[in-house]
Amino acid sequence: RSGARRVDIEFMESIFKSPFDFVIDDCFLSESTMFLSESSLIMDLTGERIGIDLGARSIKICSFKDGSLVAQERIKWRPSENKSLPYPKEKILEALSVVQKTLSAPMSIGISTAGVIVNDEIAISSLFKGLGEGECYDNFFSNLSQEVGLPVVVINDGDASALSGSFERDRSILGLSFGSDLGAGLVA
């Protein structure tokens, strides 16, 4: 491929692992367009839940009961400096062990992180930029879900910011996430 959009096309093909084309569609932003699948998001705050934000320098983890904060912790980490795939898994499990003690029966785990998220998995993220070319993080979160025995939902941190704000307001909201990068999400 060549032309002005070559780099963009190659980037998108690396995310979706299939050929990619740009198509102009006048109906793209219709009311039926959904960027976050309602089936994958739990909009119910009842019960016990765990929330995790995977940042560039720390993991922020909270436990909730019926929508109220029970406990929160911050664990330092440097995922981009580590060249081993077990490192992020070990640090996430360490964070989980801290807050799981505060809950009797957690129902699910919600994770936010920078990057492109497709079907609850990271397609592209600076969290894994330290990994070598041969190391693959495909199915990272589905494997984590199986290991901890809880459903895991993963969304972009900008989307998480907008979603969080939407619980408090009955209107469209733009959420911004400022960290090592800038994330943005919209709940309409």
Side-chain angles (χ1 to χ4, degrees), residues 11 15 24-25 57 96 108 120 124 138 146 154 160 180 187:
F11 178 70
I15 291 172
I24 297 173
D25 184 350
R57 293 177 196 88
L96 281 170
S108 63
D120 294 319
I124 298 288
D138 290 347
Q146 289 178 354
V154 185
S180 58
V187 173

Side-chain angles (χ1 to χ4, degrees), residues 104 123 135 159 173 178 183:
S104 59
E135 291 208 72
D159 293 331
I173 188 163
F178 295 93

Side-chain angles (χ1 to χ4, degrees), residues 45-50 63-66 70 102-108:
L45 296 179
T46 59
E48 297 181 343
R49 306 191 188 277
I50 297 171
S63 58
F64 299 90
K65 184 169 184 175
D66 296 326
V70 174
T102 67
L103 300 174
S104 59
M107 300 167 62
S108 63

Side-chain angles (χ1 to χ4, degrees), residues 1-12:
R1 298 194 179 212
S2 62
R5 303 269 51 113
R6 181 184 59 79
V7 171
D8 299 322
I9 291 170
E10 289 173 357
F11 178 70
M12 296 305 285

Side-chain angles (χ1 to χ4, degrees), residues 29-172:
L29 292 177
S30 69
E31 288 185 28
S32 63
T33 302
M34 290 193 57
F35 295 94
L36 293 175
S37 166
E38 283 186 32
S39 62
S40 69
L41 294 177
I42 300 169
M43 303 301 286
D44 179 7
L45 296 179
T46 59
E48 297 181 343
R49 306 191 188 277
I50 297 171
I52 302 173
D53 176 55
L54 300 177
R57 293 177 196 88
S58 66
I59 298 173
K60 283 131 338 247
I61 185 164
C62 301
S63 58
F64 299 90
K65 184 169 184 175
D66 296 326
S68 296
L69 181 66
V70 174
Q72 60 183 343
E73 281 292 327
R74 181 183 297 246
I75 295 175
K76 292 184 185 280
W77 77 332
R78 295 285 189 190
S80 64
E81 295 174 10
N82 286 278
K83 310 278 188 249
S84 164
L85 192 55
Y87 176 80
K89 178 183 164 193
E90 290 167 3
K91 294 303 274 188
I92 292 168
L93 290 174
E94 176 187 335
L96 281 170
S97 71
V98 171
V99 297
Q100 279 184 313
K101 297 172 189 171
T102 67
L103 300 174
S104 59
M107 300 167 62
S108 63
I109 300 171
I111 298 177
S112 71
T113 188
V116 178
I117 310 301
V118 178
N119 297 324
D120 294 319
E121 293 290 350
I122 291 175
I124 298 288
S125 174
S126 58
L127 293 180
F128 293 112
K129 70 182 176 186
L131 294 181
E133 202 53 46
E135 291 208 72
C136 179
Y137 50 85
D138 290 347
N139 304 314
F140 182 84
F141 290 108
S142 60
N143 291 339
L144 179 70
S145 175
Q146 289 178 354
E147 184 164 337
V148 299
L150 292 170
V152 173
V153 174
V154 185
I155 61 175
N156 174 272
D157 54 359
D159 293 331
S161 174
L163 187 62
S164 174
S166 73
F167 280 109
E168 298 177 17
R169 297 182 173 41
D170 190 24
R171 61 177 187 242
S172 297

